[in-house]
Amino acid sequence: MLHGARDRRLARAAAEAQREADAALEALPPLPAAGDGPEAHIMCGERQFVMGAWSSYSLLRFIPEARLVVHTDGSLTEQTLARWRRIAPGMRVVSREEGLAAMRRRLRPFPRILDWCERYHFGIKLGGTHSIAEAQRVLEFDSDTLALREPRALLDALRDSSVPLTWNADIAYCYAYPEATLRDALGDMLGPLPWRLNGGLMAGRRLDDADWALLDAALGRFGERAGIDPMRFWMHQTLIAVLASHMGDKARPLPREYDIHDGPTRPDASMRHYVGHPGIRPRFFIEGVPFVRDAVEPM
């Protein structure tokens, strides 16, 4: 009951804070023009635009050499895209059709992972991002993440070519099946399972043929096991965890100040992923955006 009352209060406060965040976008000074460094990929639709704009701005103010790549589901209007381009000059917009076409070209030799990427609700987030990406270093972030201060550990990993993958730690074990089930299905195809890997904030190298072959084979093993549904929720980050289990010690979670957590935003948080929980998501607008807004000098 206490959580219910808290969540209703947060929802009411967030509705007003979101309207303020939308209006405050107009006062943000434009980011530097896109450079030739890493690519920062985000999936976003019209309903998530205000979050996506603040998320990308909060992060890219610390990575002037990065290019923003927005994967749209087709709902973002030209007016909305113009607002986004004003604060992120040089951003690239990838339509769902363009992403699917690139994915089908890139993943043709790997039919199981291609089929999964086409059918899974987050599939194009994996297949589309790494099929479209031109840079060797890729940052993937969800529209409900905010960089509250310079994310040094993330930037160090993104700029270090020896780091294959880093991620923010989830609030709990959030893979599609228990580890014992995954090991029973995959056998030696599963190395040391990463600790609480979350797919909402990741940086590392662009995936190559060996990565896609491993994911393709893992889906083949899953398909041989009754009771394992590859379309199950959290399968996106489960497959990435399988991949990370073969990447060695340099594939690692980001420090604690990037962890997903319940309750108020921690004062030492570098970034926060405001996941879709009624006690967490509203804080994106109530706590996160005002912090970023106050740190940026308006036009």
Side-chain angles (χ1 to χ4, degrees), residues 23-126:
L25 285 172
E26 305 309 316
L28 291 177
L31 294 163
D36 58 357
E39 292 177 357
H41 289 251
I42 182 174
M43 288 187 65
C44 195
E46 186 73 18
R47 290 175 59 188
Q48 295 81 36
F49 161 66
V50 179
M51 281 201 308
W54 277 103
S55 178
S56 59
Y57 193 94
S58 75
L59 183 53
L60 293 182
R61 64 194 166 124
F62 298 113
I63 325 176
E65 74 273 25
R67 183 181 189 186
L68 177 62
V69 182
V70 176
H71 296 257
T72 174
D73 60 4
S75 63
L76 286 168
T77 67
E78 286 303 316
Q79 180 181 12
T80 295
L81 289 172
R83 293 183 67 196
W84 206 335
R85 285 193 178 97
R86 187 196 68 77
I87 59 173
M91 81 178 202
R92 178 183 179 186
V93 178
V94 179
S95 69
R96 177 171 175 79
E97 294 72 24
E98 184 182 358
L100 285 170
M103 195 168 68
R104 287 163 183 161
R105 289 191 300 271
R106 177 68 181 88
L107 300 183
R108 186 177 296 115
F110 312 104
R112 285 181 289 259
I113 189 65
L114 172 57
D115 176 70
W116 181 87
C117 286
E118 288 183 321
R119 294 194 296 124
Y120 192 68
H121 60 292
F122 284 153
I124 200 166
K125 174 176 163 64
L126 175 62

Side-chain angles (χ1 to χ4, degrees), residues 168-190:
N168 65 322
D170 218 320
I171 199 167
Y173 180 97
C174 292
Y175 299 137
Y177 291 93
E179 182 173 352
T181 303
L182 297 175
R183 291 202 176 280
D184 182 57
L186 297 177
D188 60 5
M189 195 176 291
L190 180 62

Side-chain angles (χ1 to χ4, degrees), residues 109-113 185-186 189 209-224 239 242:
F110 312 104
R112 285 181 289 259
I113 189 65
L186 297 177
M189 195 176 291
D209 280 0
D211 299 319
W212 294 120
L214 177 63
L215 294 176
D216 200 68
L219 285 170
R221 293 273 186 94
F222 286 152
E224 296 168 358
L239 288 175
V242 171

